Amino acid sequence: MFEQIVDVPTKDGAMETFVCHPERGGPYPPVLFLMDAPGIREELYDMARRLATVGYYVLLPNLYYRAGRDTKYGPDVLDKGSAEQARMRAVRTKMTIPPVMDDVAALIAHADQQKASKKGPVGTHGYCMSGPYSLAAAARYPDRIAAAGSFYGTWLVSDAVESPHLTLGKAKGELYISCAEHDELAPPDMVKELKVLFDRSGNPGELEVHPGVHHGFAFPQRWCYDKPAAERHWERLIALYRRRLG
């Protein structure tokens, strides 16, 4: 595997991005791996590596870069009331969709300039807070985003600017929306509403609710990690990218 950390230029600064891809056989289709709220950590690097090994040029950006370099947090970021969680939330609560769409454009432009990255269709998937970003990107850049996944995306139906529930019909790429049965950040009524809108959009993809699992089930170091559901998440994601990116 080849991997490095690069600064991707954006109009708001330098976005630190972990990039990995196989050593041989490229170029590879580019995939944007969008982080969850706790932010960049080794757990996400390992997930990016796993995806890259099956033949993708994976970019994992620190979406908190506008708040500075000191936006990586310790393991107690998940502990309610901890100092690290408070530090993270001070950044997280300022995040909105439109600036992240600019970041997506910058990532695509960067990938287009790399020899190891194949020109053409792009994939994107996000977890938790980035589920909405991934789906919104498919609508904002329909001629580039050929596949977009959301895994336990938070508040996919909201009054946010470019909320994905408003733009599902604009996506030309295939969408895959994965929800956990137990998720306070994507409650059942919201998922039901989203399913109606998704079906109405005519997108060829799927909205799937995974029974018996909790928000965060795909992360190996999370208390709620569920191995069967996590492996199903990999199967769904890789199959999506195989169909749409090659």
Side-chain angles (χ1 to χ4, degrees):
M1 290 294 296
F2 177 86
E3 61 182 61
Q4 64 177 330
I5 294 177
V6 301
D7 283 337
V8 173
T10 77
K11 68 179 185 181
D12 293 324
M15 179 168 54
E16 181 181 304
T17 303
F18 178 78
V19 177
C20 58
H21 59 83
E23 293 179 0
R24 301 177 177 178
Y28 303 97
V31 166
L32 313 183
F33 177 167
L34 306 182
M35 69 191 203
D36 60 331
I40 297 300
R41 56 195 185 278
E42 191 66 27
E43 181 179 37
L44 297 192
Y45 289 158
D46 283 343
M47 293 173 73
R49 292 175 181 122
R50 176 168 176 175
L51 182 58
T53 61
V54 297
Y56 295 101
Y57 184 95
V58 181
L59 302 100
L60 170 63
N62 182 358
L63 297 177
Y64 291 154
Y65 74 96
R66 290 177 177 85
R69 292 278 181 178
D70 187 26
T71 49
K72 295 178 184 176
Y73 308 101
D76 58 342
V77 68
L78 293 170
D79 297 339
K80 291 184 178 180
S82 70
E84 284 293 82
Q85 186 175 81
R87 194 164 71 88
M88 177 272 288
R89 286 187 59 79
V91 178
R92 164 70 183 97
T93 53
K94 295 181 175 65
M95 297 287 288
T96 59
I97 294 174
V100 179
M101 296 303 97
D102 294 337
D103 297 339
V104 168
L107 290 163
I108 293 173
H110 176 81
D112 283 346
Q113 298 170 4
Q114 309 308 310
K115 290 182 179 179
S117 177
K118 190 174 183 179
K119 308 302 183 290
V122 177
T124 177
H125 66 286
Y127 301 83
C128 180
M129 75 167 188
S130 288
Y133 302 151
S134 179
L135 299 178
R140 175 77 85 93
Y141 305 109
D143 294 327
R144 290 304 304 271
I145 303 294
S150 167
F151 294 93
Y152 34 86
T154 59
W155 305 115
L156 297 171
V157 178
S158 77
D159 59 1
V161 176
E162 293 191 67
S163 174
H165 80 284
L166 300 173
T167 59
L168 293 169
K170 294 182 179 180
K172 295 180 182 178
E174 182 179 346
L175 306 180
Y176 175 70
I177 303 174
S178 172
C179 301
E181 180 182 1
H182 306 294
D183 193 343
E184 294 179 354
L185 303 176
D189 288 346
M190 188 211 77
V191 174
K192 289 178 183 177
E193 181 180 354
L194 185 65
K195 181 66 164 62
V196 171
L197 296 170
F198 184 81
D199 292 343
R200 190 180 298 164
S201 75
N203 191 276
E206 179 183 7
L207 188 157
E208 182 175 22
V209 178
H210 299 270
V213 298
H214 295 259
H215 182 93
F217 66 81
F219 294 134
Q221 297 179 23
R222 195 71 60 86
W223 70 268
C224 55
Y225 175 65
D226 184 282
K227 187 171 183 179
E231 291 303 310
R232 187 185 309 121
H233 131 272
W234 284 115
E235 184 274 326
R236 301 289 196 265
L237 179 64
I238 293 171
L240 171 69
Y241 286 155
R242 286 277 188 258
R243 284 193 299 274
R244 298 298 175 172
L245 306 181

